Every structure is written in structure tokens, then in C-alpha cells.
Amino acid sequence: MKTIIEPFRIKVVEPIRITDRASRERVLRAAHYNLFQVKAEEVTIDLLTDSGTAAMSSQQWSAIMAGDESYAGSRSFYRFEEVARALTGFRHIIPVHQGRAAEKILFGLVGGPGKVVPSNSHFDTTRANVEYTGATALDLLVAEGKDPASEHPFKGNIDLRALQACLEEHGPERVPLVMLTVTNNSGGGQPVSLENIRAARETAHRHGVPLFLDACRFAENAYFIKLREPGQRDRPVRDIAREMFSLADGCTMSAKKDGLVNIGGFLGLNDDSLASRARNLLILIEGFPTYGGLAGRDLEAMAQGLAEVLDEDYLNYRFVSTAYLGDHLKAAGVPILLPVGGHAVYLDARRFVAHIPPEAFPAQAVACELYLEAGIRSVEIGSLMFGKKDQATGAFRPAAMELVRLAIPRRVYTQSHIDYVIEAIIEVHGARRRIRGYDLTWEAPYLRHFTARLQPRQGPDRPECPDSGRHSG
Ligand code: F0G
């Protein structure tokens, strides 16, 4: 059959609200034009994130009833540890409540002033956790990864020459580890090839530096490798995932993505001394090493989710349904990041609203418009999230790209929901010349996008915008 169906049927339903434009205008104003500040019940289709938003399976729910809630030595921990160890091969599996807790512990131990942490692209919480220790977070993505129109199959790859130069310049004294984010969320959910992981490992090891994976979306990365990397098509995706982990010396993992759970994560390590120090810190901030900030039932759900996510019917459906959204937008002339990533479709706001300059947050403007049009919540990944003020001159430094991420929660929405999203985006794109930029009225010192307050730019309408395509990258 040509039609790829959702490989599940629905046993429990959760109503969503259909709202009207006038109420959405009130809601957005009260939220200071920040979609993180909008109550979920005011959202019709929530594509803010694919993190912690998955629908769990009947087997995960039944595993939850089997959770052992003992403080120490819980049976659920040992089940989880066995599954995570069989998948990753890491000697030490340290449970945490979510990915950033693993980052906080890891960089609390290996970071610090003067340290440099290179990556293909750090996700925002990773960067913040590195920088919080006084270390520098470096993004060394290949050039293709920064070009929204490039159809390179592995746009998440790290630039190996830049990595080599970084390691030569700083050495193992200053570079505690090299990180690869698979898939590369900040760069559009693009995969890293096995070849690139292998070469990054060799480069890092040559300088005596370990390689870590930010493994949140390891299954999607492994499936991309299966589909796109020469010689990988006939391998079970589980084998590819295991090989990815086998090339690394450790990982941080937010199981809220490819763990198919609503909460959970872990830190995987091979270094015994680092693991021992990590467990000490874990006890301080998360909990005892056999639960680490989670309930026994959460560990059960995570163990089950880590197995389910490697089901190839599931992964095929996941990729086909995400591509369905991307293909329809592309066909309608809406500028999107290509090729479509695993967990999300990204609108390229620099071309979508070419008349809005980066300092007026074009991607935020499009995100607000999608909410006003149809109650769709997306997230800005552009200059609101990553833009900076130059310390010396105070000048605005824009992000490399201005993207609106439409993240697809796992196993949650059906094709008709996605058809609704497509229709709304095409409408908004048709009326894009009317969209205005925004000004910041308040910002926090770290991760400002979560709490920033904005207001629509005042003054006369923007000059006529040329057709999309003027800015190509
Ligand atoms: N690394 C990557 C690549 C991520 O995408 C995230 C979270 C984290 C680390 C942190 O994990 O949320 O469990 O603490 N990304 C979410 C998102 C928030 O919406 O993409 P966490």
C-alpha cells in the first residue's frame, strides 16, 4: 500500500479547544506576545515542542502500574538500566529528570572558566549550562547546515577542520569534551552521519578528548542514517543506534523526545571517576542514583519507550507524517528549511517576512501570526532565542537563522490536524506583507525567550515586501 497510516489506534482521547480570533488576540496581548506565556488550554494545535508531549502506549501505561517506588534499589531502576545499557553500551547509566539536569551535572564537573566546549550546535539549554560555568560553547556546524536551502543529507555534521583547529588551539587542558547533538535541533532537526561521528571521535581522541552525544533524538538520527547513508539501508535501525553510541564516550539524554515519555532522561558515562563524581552531584540536586529525580514508574515508562522508539513502522510513520507537512508547504511556495528534519518543520522567516529586519524578530512575528490565525503554537528559533548584544558596542548581533519551528509531538496528532496546520500557514503566508515586527520590552539574563515580553512595532506599515526568495540564506 502507498498510504502510510498511523501505526496505532486511539484508545483515550483528550479534547482540544477551538477558539476564535478575538479571544486569541486578547490572549496573545496578555501574554506579551510570548507564546511560552500562553495557557495550553488556549491553544488548538500545540506544536511548541516535541519534548515531553508524546502519547504513551498502552504498554507504557501498564508498565507505569508496575513501577517499584522503593527509595533505594528499585526494581524499575534495574530494568531501565538494563535497557539503556544494552542500547548505549555505557557502563554508567545515571537517571535524571530531564536532559538539562544531565547537562547541569556534566558541565558542573567538566566546565568552568577558560574551558571550551565545541559542538555541531549546542541546544539552548546545553549552551546555557556550559556558559553558566564560565566556559565557552562553540558551534562548529558545517557550512551546509547554515544554508536553509541546501539539500545536503547530513546538515547536522560538525565541521571537522574547524574541530581540528579548535582542538589544536585549546588542547585537552581547555577542551573537556566534544559534543555532537543528534539530530541537530537548533539547526533544523538535521542528522549527523555515522561517518561524521566516527571522524569526530577520531579527531577528538587524537587530542585526548572524549566525544559525547546529546542523544535526545538518537532514533530519528539513526533512521536518517539508514535512509541516507551509503551502505546502511539494510541494517536494523537499532544496530545503527548502537553503533552511534558505541562511538561516543558518554551522552546526555532527554528521554522526553526519543524516550517517548513525558518526563525523564539520563547521563551515560564510561569514565568511572567522572561517574562517581556525577552521582555525588546527582544526590545533591536530583536524588538517589537509583531514581535520580524520577518516580519508579517513570523509569518503567522510559525503559519501554526506549524500545518502542526503534520500531521501524513507527519511525517510518513519523518521518512520512513530518515530511507530509513540509512537502505541502513547499509545494505552496512557503519557504521552509530543507530537507525536512525528523521532529519538526521549520519555516524560514527571513524569506517568509523578508521586510522584517532581524532586530524586529521576524520568526517571532510569524509565530504570533500563526497563533492569531488558527490557534497554532510554534516556537521561534532565531534572534529572540539566540540573538545577542555585543558586550563592547551594545550592537545587536542576530542569530545565524530566523526559524519558526513546528515541532510534531510523537503519536499525538492525526493527518487532519496537520491538514489544518497546512491551510493556516498558507493563509498567513498569503497575507505576509501585513505582518509587523516586534520590540522587546523586557528580558531575563539567561534563556530570555521563555519569559521575554514583546510588543508589536508601532508606526507606519513596512515597505512592500518583495516576493519570498530575495534572501537565500
Ligand atoms: N538537547 C537538545 C538537542 C534538546 O532538544 C533539548 C530539549 C535538550 C537538550 C534539553 O532537554 O528539555 O529534557 O531538559 N529540547 C526541547 C525542545 C526543550 O523543545 O526542543 P530537556
Side-chain angles (χ1 to χ4, degrees):
M1 291 292 297
K2 278 214 304 287
T3 304
I4 308 295
I5 59 170
E6 286 91 354
F8 49 81
R9 48 189 186 173
I10 296 165
K11 187 175 269 184
V12 178
V13 295
E14 182 183 9
I16 49 181
R17 267 186 59 208
I18 314 290
T19 55
D20 60 41
R21 184 163 182 122
S23 74
R24 294 194 289 268
E25 279 171 3
R26 276 195 303 276
V27 165
L28 197 59
R29 200 176 316 119
H32 300 278
Y33 301 91
N34 184 335
L35 291 160
F36 283 104
Q37 301 298 321
V38 171
K39 286 183 181 162
E41 64 180 7
E42 302 289 355
V43 175
T44 301
I45 304 283
D46 204 344
L47 307 182
L48 182 69
T49 178
D50 63 322
S51 176
T53 51
M56 289 206 293
S57 68
S58 52
Q59 283 184 324
Q60 283 178 295
W61 282 108
S62 66
I64 275 188
M65 288 308 294
D68 172 358
E69 305 303 344
S70 304
Y71 188 96
S74 152
R75 184 185 62 239
S76 301
F77 169 72
Y78 293 109
R79 177 177 174 222
F80 158 69
E81 185 189 42
E82 192 183 321
V83 169
R85 205 181 261 156
L87 170 66
T88 65
F90 296 131
R91 263 205 299 285
H92 303 280
I93 301 291
I94 299 172
V96 294
H97 80 280
Q98 63 181 76
R100 69 198 71 182
E103 293 163 2
K104 169 94 182 144
I105 290 170
L106 180 64
F107 293 112
L109 293 170
V110 305
K115 297 285 172 71
V116 176
V117 183
S119 173
N120 48 350
S121 300
H122 291 280
F123 187 64
D124 60 350
T125 58
T126 324
R127 168 173 290 280
N129 271 305
V130 170
E131 290 176 350
Y132 187 71
T133 71
T136 304
L138 279 186
D139 288 347
L140 305 178
L141 192 62
V142 290
E144 293 88 343
K146 291 176 235 166
D147 174 3
S150 159
E151 297 241 22
H152 189 280
F154 291 104
K155 289 172 76 172
N157 283 353
I158 193 166
D159 181 334
L160 293 163
R161 246 189 276 163
L163 177 62
Q164 167 82 16
C166 165
L167 288 162
E168 272 166 18
E169 184 183 345
H170 302 295
E173 308 75 35
R174 293 187 64 196
V175 183
L177 56 88
V178 172
M179 195 100 183
L180 283 179
T181 309
V182 297
T183 58
N184 181 24
N185 187 6
S186 314
Q190 303 294 329
V192 181
S193 70
L194 261 185
E195 190 189 12
N196 190 255
I197 301 175
R198 208 175 286 124
R201 169 200 167 88
E202 278 163 19
T203 308
H205 282 194
R206 241 192 344 268
H207 291 83
V209 173
L211 176 72
F212 273 62
L213 296 183
D214 175 341
C216 303
R217 298 180 180 84
F218 74 94
E220 291 173 6
N221 199 86
Y223 199 60
F224 272 122
I225 288 173
K226 182 179 168 99
L227 297 182
R228 295 183 184 171
E229 193 155 346
Q232 302 297 325
R233 191 162 271 273
D234 296 329
R235 288 180 79 185
V237 78
R238 184 181 168 79
D239 279 5
I240 299 174
R242 288 179 59 174
E243 184 175 352
M244 285 166 44
F245 283 113
S246 77
L247 293 168
D249 302 289
C251 77
T252 55
M253 171 73 190
S254 167
K256 297 172 71 172
K257 288 83 168 167
D258 275 350
L260 294 176
V261 287
N262 306 120
I263 196 76
F266 63 91
L267 177 60
L269 296 170
N270 276 338
D271 180 328
D272 296 338
S273 141
L274 186 59
S276 154
R277 285 178 292 142
R279 287 198 178 95
N280 289 338
L281 208 48
L282 184 82
I283 293 174
L284 199 66
I285 60 178
E286 286 281 285
F288 193 70
T290 60
Y291 72 84
L294 294 166
R297 57 180 169 271
D298 300 325
L299 295 164
E300 291 279 351
M302 199 159 51
Q304 181 63 30
L306 286 173
E308 286 179 14
V309 77
L310 291 167
D311 177 289
E312 299 197 14
D313 288 336
Y314 157 74
L315 284 166
N316 186 29
Y317 137 78
R318 171 104 179 125
F319 275 44
V320 167
S321 54
T322 307
Y324 178 86
L325 172 57
D327 291 347
H328 280 76
L329 294 178
K330 189 178 162 198
V334 178
I336 61 168
L337 198 90
L338 292 170
V340 171
H343 69 293
V345 172
Y346 293 70
L347 306 178
D348 180 4
R350 208 175 274 172
R351 286 186 286 152
F352 196 118
V353 280
H355 57 292
I356 300 180
E359 61 272 21
F361 307 114
Q364 182 66 13
V366 173
C368 285
E369 212 55 38
L370 286 181
Y371 178 74
L372 292 173
E373 175 74 20
I376 296 164
R377 176 155 64 175
S378 54
V379 67
E380 190 259 16
I381 301 192
S383 289
L384 183 57
M385 191 180 269
F386 290 122
K388 287 250 158 75
K389 245 198 214 123
D390 191 287
Q391 298 289 0
T393 64
F396 173 82
R397 288 214 319 260
M401 294 194 265
E402 303 291 345
L403 304 175
V404 179
R405 185 182 73 172
L406 306 155
I408 317 291
R410 294 169 179 78
R411 308 188 292 207
V412 170
Y413 292 117
T414 63
Q415 188 170 331
S416 76
H417 292 119
I418 300 300
D419 284 332
Y420 172 89
V421 172
I422 293 166
E423 185 182 329
I425 294 172
I426 292 173
E427 284 288 323
V428 167
H429 186 245
R432 61 191 178 281
R433 288 174 178 79
R434 285 208 302 273
I435 302 175
R436 296 257 190 97
Y438 284 80
D439 288 314
L440 264 175
T441 59
W442 183 83
E443 64 180 297
Y446 294 103
L447 301 174
R448 68 176 180 188
H449 52 284
F450 289 129
T451 50
R453 295 182 170 186
L454 300 112
Q455 66 183 19
R457 280 213 158 167
Q458 304 302 322
D461 275 344
R462 305 281 115 202
E464 275 296 286
C465 116
D467 281 327
S468 60
R470 192 180 67 163
H471 297 258
S472 62

